[in-house]
Amino acid sequence: MPFYHKLGNIPHKRHTQFRKPDGSLYSEQLMGTKGFSGVEALLYHHYPPTAILKVEDLGSTAIELEPDGALRHRHLKTFAHKPGGDPIGGRRMLLVNNDVRMGIVHPTEPQTYFYRNGEGDEMLFVHEGEGVLETIFGNIPYRRGDYLVIPIGTTYRVNTNGTPTKMLVLETVGEITTPNRYRNEHGQLLEHAPFCERDIRVPMELTPHDEKGEFAVHVRAHGRMTKHVLDHHPFDVVGWDGYLYPFAFNIEDFEPITGRVHQPPPVHQTFSGPNFVVCSFVPRMFDYHPEAIPAPYNHSNVESDEVLYYVEGNFMSRRGVDLGSITLHPSGMPHGPHPGTVEGSIGKAATEELAVMVDTFKPLYLTKEALSIEEPSYTYSWVNH
């Protein structure tokens, strides 16, 4: 994260005595990335975070890929997927490579355990629903349109408050951050950035649980899921400070960059990850050159795969996509607007489309799970019958 934050009670100096009212010491924990050279936070617990009563192997986290690896444009109708499971166990991964796994979750059950990803950052995009992201760093209320960025090693639980919920899920093997070109050498977001620190919501409520018992934490690491049963509530933190913590950013707070002629996708970039970027397509004014063509030109992403997740509105260059649709335009073949949409875009003043785009710089592969919601005819939809 680009700025320092602290919450709760912490000692004046790090790595010094910090005592409870009864005179015993709080337990200090350093959470950091890249050894001791990346971003980090110092947390102070009622109980040692190392106190584990039981360990149970829950199995591999490997994903089965689809057998048909033909190179073609893909269309996945995620709203056709049957809802089920909790916000973690109910995830259905659809597109994967060695850097990122993309999928959906439409949970119908509460998350009765805690969860920690020890392999990389996660991002949840809230398409529908509202609730609270409960974390070891404190709570972040969320709503429709929120990106929830959760750093590696964060123990958390998604409380949907029982509301119907649909989320796009990104699981990575590295750090998700704001693009370098938006920040100065001190990490501050610059004047030309399409959002600023005021738009980023950090944990503001910390409710320490001084509670003993048995509490299950499912930990993803080393390609497996492991159940750790702690002897205390994991949200026992009384205070913390640093640069490593979860945060929320709502897509409505992204300020679009426009021009006299069509602007390329990098102007929509919102986040960067290991070998991928996340872009936000939001309502915006179209190009204002008198002979501008608002629809995008045909293009070949010769070194990246392009994924679009459709949130709402009428996407000007595409036909036949629905709410929750995911399209994959892989490297190795050109793609562009559907027949008739180029001419139809001329003279339009604005668009109300809302979509999330993920461009990866290594090829993506469909999972077997994705086949059940694929519309195979999409690859032929550029033929003008």
Side-chain angles (χ1 to χ4, degrees):
M1 275 301 300
F3 57 87
Y4 170 84
H5 184 52
K6 65 180 178 180
L7 192 62
N9 298 314
I10 58 175
H12 174 65
K13 292 282 286 185
R14 58 186 176 181
H15 317 320
T16 60
Q17 297 178 33
F18 183 35
R19 296 189 179 276
K20 304 178 188 179
D22 65 4
S24 61
L25 286 169
Y26 287 108
S27 184
E28 184 182 47
Q29 177 194 9
L30 174 70
M31 278 184 60
T33 64
K34 302 178 179 65
F36 292 87
S37 342
V39 291
E40 59 186 39
L42 274 171
L43 303 94
Y44 297 87
H45 298 257
H46 275 291
Y47 304 102
T50 50
I52 298 175
L53 295 172
K54 302 174 189 174
V55 174
E56 179 185 347
D57 181 24
L58 299 180
S60 172
T61 57
I63 296 174
E64 188 176 1
L65 300 182
E66 61 127 352
D68 177 12
L71 181 68
R72 65 175 186 267
H73 298 315
R74 309 278 192 157
H75 178 200
L76 309 178
K77 294 189 171 186
T78 70
F79 278 20
H81 206 291
K82 185 178 179 180
D86 62 57
I88 306 300
R91 293 179 180 182
R92 299 294 178 261
M93 291 299 152
L94 306 174
L95 299 165
V96 302
N97 64 21
N98 290 331
D99 300 312
V100 62
R101 311 198 312 184
M102 283 180 266
I104 56 168
V105 63
H106 301 165
T108 57
E109 303 169 12
Q111 185 182 333
T112 57
Y113 53 89
F114 303 91
Y115 173 70
R116 181 190 313 137
N117 188 334
E119 295 182 336
D121 288 7
E122 295 187 348
M123 174 181 285
L124 308 178
F125 176 78
V126 184
H127 191 158
E128 290 184 6
E130 59 182 32
V132 180
L133 177 65
E134 302 170 350
T135 84
I136 198 170
F137 295 95
N139 295 338
I140 302 178
Y142 69 80
R143 61 183 175 88
R144 177 182 172 89
D146 274 345
Y147 291 103
L148 304 175
V149 179
I150 306 167
I152 182 173
T154 300
T155 303
Y156 74 90
R157 181 168 60 186
V158 178
N159 182 355
T160 65
N161 290 332
T163 61
T165 299
K166 291 182 171 64
M167 292 181 174
L168 176 70
V169 179
L170 272 67
E171 299 175 347
T172 80
V173 297
E175 182 183 17
I176 297 173
T177 186
T178 51
N180 285 335
R181 69 178 184 278
Y182 293 164
R183 292 185 267 117
N184 62 23
E185 67 271 27
H186 305 290
Q188 184 178 14
L189 289 165
L190 293 163
E191 287 295 300
H192 69 274
F195 54 92
C196 74
E197 286 83 358
R198 296 183 189 181
D199 301 314
I200 294 172
R201 307 195 322 271
V202 300
M204 298 300 293
E205 177 191 358
L206 188 64
T207 307
H209 291 259
D210 183 359
E211 186 178 348
K212 298 286 281 186
E214 294 192 4
F215 299 86
V217 181
H218 293 192
V219 181
R220 178 183 158 198
H222 305 290
R224 304 192 71 80
M225 193 74 76
T226 304
K227 179 180 178 181
H228 290 172
V229 179
L230 306 184
D231 74 345
H232 62 278
H233 197 293
F235 296 164
D236 67 335
V237 173
V238 299
W240 63 270
D241 75 330
Y243 286 72
L244 183 72
Y245 48 83
F247 65 91
F249 171 75
N250 196 279
I251 196 170
E252 293 176 0
D253 289 322
F254 185 88
E255 299 300 331
I257 298 170
T258 60
R260 272 169 49 88
V261 296
H262 187 80
Q263 299 298 294
V267 302
H268 306 289
Q269 187 180 351
T270 314
F271 299 104
S272 295
N275 291 312
F276 73 88
V277 297
V278 177
C279 301
S280 301
F281 287 89
V282 301
R284 61 194 183 278
M285 299 300 293
F286 274 148
D287 323 311
Y288 47 89
H289 187 284
E291 296 184 3
I293 300 177
Y297 34 79
N298 295 302
H299 53 287
S300 299
N301 295 359
V302 293
E303 292 182 331
S304 68
D305 283 7
E306 178 187 285
V307 176
L308 268 167
Y309 179 83
Y310 299 85
V311 181
E312 67 181 28
N314 183 19
F315 207 73
M316 62 169 170
S317 62
R318 199 69 63 234
R319 296 186 316 212
V321 296
D322 303 315
L323 296 183
S325 283
I326 288 178
T327 56
L328 168 64
H329 301 143
S331 59
M333 55 190 304
H335 68 277
H338 273 135
T341 58
V342 172
E343 191 71 44
S345 73
I346 295 174
K348 298 282 182 66
T351 177
E352 294 300 316
E353 68 196 19
L354 200 64
V356 176
M357 186 174 80
V358 182
D359 274 3
T360 67
F361 303 114
K362 293 181 181 176
L364 287 165
Y365 300 92
L366 254 71
T367 67
K368 195 170 182 181
E369 185 86 39
L371 293 181
S372 64
I373 56 173
E374 183 185 12
E375 182 197 2
S377 64
Y378 178 73
T379 195
Y380 311 113
S381 58
W382 281 264
V383 179
N384 196 0
H385 295 288

